[in-house]
DNA sequence: GGAAGTTACCCACAACTACCCACAATCTTA
DNA sequence: TAAGATTGTGGGTAGTTGTGGGTAACTTCC
């Protein structure tokens, strides 16, 4: 049973091995193989996690970045900070991607990791880090969800 | 694993040797070889860094410069300063380019350098210089930065 | 024209990465 | 329930990548 086109949902628990490899959920692999040439773009997430984009999704971001002229100081900085932590990767014959030591450190990943579908990308978390982030966010602004209510008809 | 067409992303740490040579990240080399005839245009960056364009990207800039009339003072100055520091270069059999002493001095490069993918070009930095520039820019105008992030929909 | 300095090309080696194989655990199907 | 297929995890190895240094060709300057 494969997923909708390039759409990631669900939660999966895997082990990060000593070489920095993590499994990509089988369901996600199938949704990716054709147009994306088995390629992901791996980068820092905005929380303490790793973001993994399928090539097609990343190319949308890339196209936007291309339109920012380096004559502008703030544009340069933005392009740099977006591009700098990203790197392409394919999964191996067993369906795993390799995370760089610097990404593992950034996200505070240990042996047990959680992969979460985020519709257009997936996230890789240290489970305890996720729990903390989650608690904090909702504590800061308990009514934040309410503002979304008229945008999303759940 | 090769990159998207002529697109540079990621961050790589290398050593500048006594002869002024730096490695070009293997991933960048592959994206370049065909249309670009292994040729780069190396020049001063707008921050304290070195910019390295693949030939194809540089030719786009050249085309734009051709359209700036020399009747305008500011145009003349801009064309002059863009053209004067640029020089072509190829990488050697081991994949390294040689930087001129004047560029090394301009960017304040020492032994450890950081190469950063900037979508249409790459930058060569002294890591401590980069940290300073980065902090300053975001401090100057944090909301402009957020506006960009919002527009690009990362 | 010859010496000194500079540049470009070549070789060598250490470190790392990607690829391959193996096997256990889980799921599917008959 | 048993057999086969798929999925998740570990480790070995060949090939690639990064770095240093040597030598020959080419410039520059007296």
């Amino acid at each position: 049973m494969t997923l909708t086109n390039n759409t990631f949902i669900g939660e999966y628990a895997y082990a990060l091995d000593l070489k920095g490899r993590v499994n990509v959920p089988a369901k996600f692999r199938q949704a990716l193989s054709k147009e994306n040439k088995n390629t992901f773009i791996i980068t820092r997430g905005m929380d303490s996690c790793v973001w993994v984009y399928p090539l097609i999704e990343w190319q949308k971001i890339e196209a936007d970045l291309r339109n920012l002229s380096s004559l502008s100081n703030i544009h340069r900085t933005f392009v740099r900070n977006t591009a700098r932590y990203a790197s392409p990767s394919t999964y191996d014959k067993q369906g795993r991607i390799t995370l760089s030591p610097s990404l593992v450190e950034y996200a505070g990943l240990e042996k047990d990791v959680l992969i979460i579908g985020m519709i257009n990308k997936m996230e890789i978390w240290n489970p305890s880090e996720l729990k903390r982030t989650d608690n904090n966010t909702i504590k800061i602004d308990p009514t934040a969800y309410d503002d979304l209510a008229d945008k999303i008809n759940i």
Side-chain angles (χ1 to χ4, degrees), chain A residues 68-127:
Chain A
L68 298 180
S69 161
S70 280
L71 282 177
S72 148
N73 194 345
I74 197 88
H75 284 189
R76 283 198 302 281
T77 306
F78 186 79
V79 171
R80 189 178 302 126
N81 284 331
T82 307
R84 121 180 233 205
Y85 301 110
S87 105
S89 169
T90 55
Y91 48 86
D92 66 20
K93 218 176 177 182
Q94 280 70 250
R96 293 168 294 190
I97 48 176
T98 303
L99 305 179
S100 70
S102 110
L103 272 178
V104 170
E105 196 205 322
Y106 171 79
L109 299 182
E110 294 161 22
K111 187 160 200 304
D112 290 325
V113 302
L114 221 47
I115 297 196
I116 296 184
M118 285 283 282
I119 307 299
N120 71 333
K121 60 180 165 286
M122 49 182 154
E123 286 183 346
I124 306 177
W125 283 89
N126 176 329

Side-chain angles (χ1 to χ4, degrees), chain A residues 42-68:
Chain A
I42 307 178
T43 189
R44 293 188 177 188
M46 293 197 69
D47 304 295
S48 291
C49 69
V50 173
W51 278 352
V52 183
Y53 288 93
L55 183 58
I56 296 243
E57 289 293 328
W58 174 259
Q59 281 172 338
K60 293 179 195 167
I61 296 172
E62 231 174 57
D64 286 344
L65 293 179
R66 253 182 205 278
N67 288 327
L68 298 180

